[in-house]
Amino acid sequence: GDSVTQMEGPVTLSEEAFLTINCTYTATGYPSLFWYVQYPGEGLQLLLKATKADDKGSNKGFEATYRKETTSFHLEKGSVQVSDSAVYFCARRIANAGGTSYGKLTFGQGTILTVHP
Amino acid sequence: DTEVTQTPKHLVMGMTNKKSLKCEQHMGHRAMYWYKQKAKKPPELMFVYSYEKLSINESVPSRFSPECPNSSLLNLHLHALQPEDSALYLCASSHPTGGRAKNIQYFGAGTRLSVL
């Protein structure tokens, strides 16, 4: 079945360190891929997305590239800030089937990131 | 505007109470979703409405009853809940058509439910 696997956390970094959170997905069909971020006490916010192979999503200094050959969508940031402390979820959207007008998301387990000053 | 509004933000209820969660969006989205999220876990899909019709029920117990009275509003009616139902309940919505580039789910801030 469809699945998303994220690197296990928690991840603890010092401010201005380089961040990588690994994400791989099962290669059923041609999924769209997403990174969502959840700050403490809040809902999920879309951080970035990629809808086809070799697309690079970027937002707020974060980047991720859709790699079909390695079925990966790793999240990176060159210099993290304390305000980036949150839980990060990688997700794939199952392609619509049978003409349905919605998409089911499959989430990874989430990675807790803590950034210290 | 990509806002999905959920009320209330917090809810405490007893096991014999009846309460409702509300979700509203004005983005013209015609797909709306309810998720349940336990602490330190990813969201779990409960229900999907598409064009105001229930399209997916992920084997959710009948003590949770969804309702979509119009294209902007989604409710979740709660009755006779159990303590293990305590969680963050998230609503999301997405554009109905336009291909994969537009079919992005936008989430509300959630209702944190405690069942005593």
Side-chain angles (χ1 to χ4, degrees):
Chain A
D2 297 298
S3 67
V4 175
T5 302
Q6 277 181 245
M7 64 182 286
E8 293 198 13
V11 174
T12 303
L13 296 172
S14 297
E15 206 164 26
E16 299 183 3
F18 184 85
L19 169 71
T20 300
I21 301 178
N22 290 340
C23 172
T24 57
Y25 63 92
T26 53
T28 304
Y30 301 94
S32 296
L33 302 173
F34 306 89
W35 278 100
Y36 283 89
V37 58
Q38 186 171 32
Y39 297 102
E42 297 185 12
L44 272 70
Q45 297 179 25
L46 178 67
L47 182 59
L48 53 84
K49 64 174 175 62
T51 57
K52 61 183 186 297
D54 300 324
D55 268 2
K56 177 185 280 187
S58 61
N59 185 26
K60 300 181 181 179
F62 291 90
E63 293 183 340
T65 301
Y66 190 141
R67 303 279 188 205
K68 188 177 179 183
E69 63 277 12
T70 55
T71 62
S72 65
F73 192 55
H74 305 321
L75 183 68
E76 297 182 337
K77 186 174 185 181
S79 176
V80 293
Q81 306 299 311
V82 172
S83 56
D84 294 326
S85 298
V87 183
Y88 292 81
F89 291 99
C90 184
R92 60 165 282 167
R93 186 178 68 84
I94 302 168
N96 287 351
T100 58
S101 58
Y102 52 85
K104 290 183 67 173
L105 285 175
T106 301
F107 288 95
Q109 287 302 303
T111 302
I112 300 172
L113 171 65
T114 303
V115 181
H116 292 297
Chain B
D1 181 13
T2 56
E3 188 169 351
V4 177
T5 304
Q6 289 188 245
T7 54
K9 292 191 184 306
H10 301 276
L11 179 63
V12 179
M13 60 186 292
M15 289 189 284
T16 58
N17 292 158
K18 286 185 181 180
K19 297 286 185 183
S20 296
L21 309 185
K22 179 180 173 181
C23 173
E24 199 163 2
Q25 57 85 18
H26 297 286
M27 296 179 277
H29 292 173
R30 300 302 293 276
M32 297 187 77
Y33 311 75
W34 280 116
Y35 289 85
K36 174 183 178 180
Q37 187 182 25
K38 300 287 271 185
K40 300 185 180 181
K41 295 291 186 183
E44 299 174 5
L45 183 65
M46 300 173 71
F47 302 103
V48 180
Y49 273 83
S50 176
Y51 291 92
E52 296 85 71
K53 288 184 168 36
L54 183 64
S55 298
I56 292 181
N57 176 342
E58 293 284 16
S59 303
V60 179
S62 60
R63 57 185 184 269
F64 295 91
S65 175
E67 177 196 22
C68 190
N70 61 56
S71 60
S72 299
L73 192 58
L74 183 67
N75 298 320
L76 186 63
H77 303 297
L78 314 172
H79 173 56
L81 294 194
Q82 304 297 309
E84 60 265 28
D85 296 321
S86 298
L88 180 68
Y89 288 84
L90 293 165
C91 173
S93 69
S94 67
H95 198 282
T97 57
R100 58 180 69 184
K102 288 190 177 182
N103 203 321
I104 296 168
Q105 289 187 30
Y106 295 93
F107 285 80
T111 294
R112 192 161 298 281
L113 175 67
S114 296
V115 181
L116 304 179

